[in-house]
Amino acid sequence: MKTVNDIDFKGKKALIRVDFNAPLDESQTITDDTRIRAAIPTIKKVLADGGSVVLMSHLGRPKKGPEEKLSLKPVANHLSKILDLEVKFASNCIGSSTENLANNLKNGEVLLLENLRFYKEETAGDVAFAKSLSVLGDIYVNDAFGTAHRAHASTAIIAQFFPNQKFFGLLMARELENVELVMKNPKSPFTAIIGGAKVSSKISIIENLLDKIDNLVIGGGMAYTFIKAQGGTIGNSLVEDDYLEMALRVLKLAEEKNVHILLPEDSAIANEFSPNADHSECATKNIPDGWMGMDIGTDAIEKYKTCIENSQTILWNGPMGVFEFDKFEAGTKQAAFAVVRATEKGAYSLVGGGDSVAAVNKYDLKDHVSYVSTGGGALLELIEGKELPGVVAIMS
Ligand code: AMP
């Protein structure tokens, strides 16, 4: 894998695709700068070598052209503070004024382009747009793992204009290396903990994992589709009736492949989807009418903990219940602490994909697991076994 560590940027201009899609509040203040900080090591490497940096990113989903509330200008200001140097800003991504700014950039300086998605050509993967961007740098670097699953102009198409001058950024390299650790030659027992709302969004991941894992721990709203498929009564719990057959097929496949499946035998239930709902516990296959499964139950928690703590490799995607409501967080919280204990005993643990990351952050455990991925969709597609256009573009 060719990374920025394989090249000296002295006197060179690096054109770096980063993922600065940070959440902003109404007054355009950045509420979480994790994504911005994740790109700092790559930027610093280029600057330390004596090169200059042109950064490009998207922010949000602008519908039709420029929208002031989705401008990257506040990000330039924030980045200036982190880097302790003035970050210049180009209010257009392409064209002569931007080319002048890039050409006049001195070694040690940084320029950030306006939101790439103000141009519809970006998501369309337009070759001419990619070519116009490519003149802004000598070397192309992709450090935007969060958008690596998109074949957009700046994430993949642009790479063809840098045949021998394209490299992975340090964040991208770290993400790929960590996924490789779990997907190629994982240490056994390998446990995948899969939760979250919908089975439909996780089915391909589960199918791809069945050849590699020893245990599949299922929780969250998706568990109830499996329980109903097995003939259980699930009250008002979340269910995807279109996936009942698929759920049975996965269970059968797992049995054929000797994968031990853990479904919650009991559940914490609520009489409404609310943090203040009445709370009770029952067998998951006998949830009364008018009640819904909100979390795995006490017995399930104990079984899941034992399984997780005896694992050598752990992949965790998706919460075990509605952990945002304190009454229904026990399953997710206990699973998180079990992952930490397994890691302390020497297991390798990768947490990734949306809400499981939020859960790890809720309990302040991110430094106690092996790796927390910054990628949502990109990570899930890698686990599904797909090739990411942003990765292929650098490799080829
Ligand atoms: P996902 O994005 O598919 O990983 O789903 C995450 C969401 O699933 C979180 O917001 C959880 O609150 C929700 N969730 C987890 N368990 C349940 C459940 N039993 N019923 C409804 N929603 C759930």
Side-chain angles (χ1 to χ4, degrees), residues 17-18 56-60 62 93-94 114-130 133 140 144 147 150-158:
R17 176 54 157 105
V18 288
M56 48 183 182
S57 176
H58 74 286
L59 177 66
C93 294
I94 55 170
E114 183 52 288
N115 191 345
L116 288 160
R117 291 196 190 164
F118 286 174
Y119 299 76
K120 64 179 183 335
E121 292 86 350
E122 163 64 359
T123 48
D126 186 82
V127 178
F129 180 64
L133 289 171
Y140 171 67
T147 46
R150 307 283 185 214
H152 292 171
S154 69
T155 60
I157 311 303
I158 193 171

Side-chain angles (χ1 to χ4, degrees), residues 2 35 40 47 65 96 100 125 128 133 140 153 191 215 232 317 353 373:
K2 283 193 307 180
R35 287 193 170 138
I40 298 298
L47 297 179
S96 54
N100 284 340
L133 289 171
Y140 171 67
T191 299
N215 306 304
N317 172 266
S373 174

Side-chain angles (χ1 to χ4, degrees), residues 177-380:
E177 280 159 14
N178 276 283
V179 172
E180 207 170 295
L181 274 178
V182 288
M183 298 307 279
K184 293 196 181 143
N185 303 319
K187 270 203 272 170
S188 187
F190 179 2
T191 299
I193 311 166
I194 307 287
K198 291 185 168 178
V199 70
S200 52
S201 61
K202 306 285 160 89
I203 208 87
S204 325
I205 297 173
I206 295 177
E207 284 183 317
N208 194 44
L209 284 171
L210 285 180
D211 280 326
K212 307 178 199 304
I213 55 178
D214 302 289
N215 306 304
L216 175 60
V217 171
I218 299 178
M222 60 180 262
Y224 301 97
T225 298
F226 285 92
I227 302 290
K228 182 168 179 183
Q230 289 176 321
T233 307
I234 57 164
N236 293 355
S237 306
L238 209 62
V239 67
E240 286 175 282
D241 284 318
D242 297 351
Y243 280 81
L244 295 173
E245 256 177 53
M246 180 73 101
L248 285 182
R249 202 165 61 80
V250 165
L251 293 177
K252 187 159 172 286
L253 208 61
E255 198 180 323
E256 283 164 19
K257 293 180 189 279
N258 278 328
V259 175
H260 178 215
I261 296 241
L262 282 88
L263 278 162
E265 280 173 24
D266 58 347
S267 283
I269 56 171
N271 59 347
E272 57 176 347
F273 190 84
S274 148
N276 306 315
D278 286 344
H279 168 283
S280 183
E281 287 213 3
C282 70
T284 307
K285 63 177 185 207
N286 281 320
I287 298 180
D289 270 357
W291 290 76
M292 62 190 83
M294 297 283 274
D295 193 11
I296 58 173
T298 312
D299 290 347
I301 288 176
E302 286 312 310
K303 288 208 171 96
Y304 286 20
K305 269 165 53 180
T306 307
C307 173
I308 294 167
E309 283 175 36
N310 288 322
S311 304
Q312 284 294 322
T313 306
I314 299 165
L315 171 67
W316 182 17
N317 172 266
M320 297 291 96
V322 186
F323 73 102
E324 298 93 335
F325 300 166
D326 290 350
K327 279 186 181 173
F328 304 102
E329 69 168 350
T332 304
K333 187 173 180 178
Q334 296 296 331
F337 278 93
V339 173
V340 167
R341 280 191 294 277
T343 312
E344 282 165 355
K345 286 195 292 177
Y348 172 83
S349 53
L350 169 64
V351 183
D355 278 318
S356 32
V357 176
V360 163
N361 288 336
K362 180 172 181 188
Y363 309 119
D364 205 13
L365 297 175
K366 89 173 171 339
D367 296 329
H368 300 272
V369 297
S370 307
Y371 192 69
V372 179
S373 174
T374 60
L379 176 78
L380 299 187

Side-chain angles (χ1 to χ4, degrees), residues 1 3-6 38-46 141-143 167-177 371:
M1 193 189 309
T3 79
V4 289
N5 281 338
D6 297 317
I40 298 298
T42 298
I43 298 170
K44 284 198 166 160
K45 149 74 181 160
V46 176
V141 176
N142 191 347
D143 209 19
F167 297 86
F168 288 115
L170 299 173
L171 169 68
M172 186 86 148
R174 212 152 35 110
E175 294 278 356
L176 296 174
E177 280 159 14
Y371 192 69

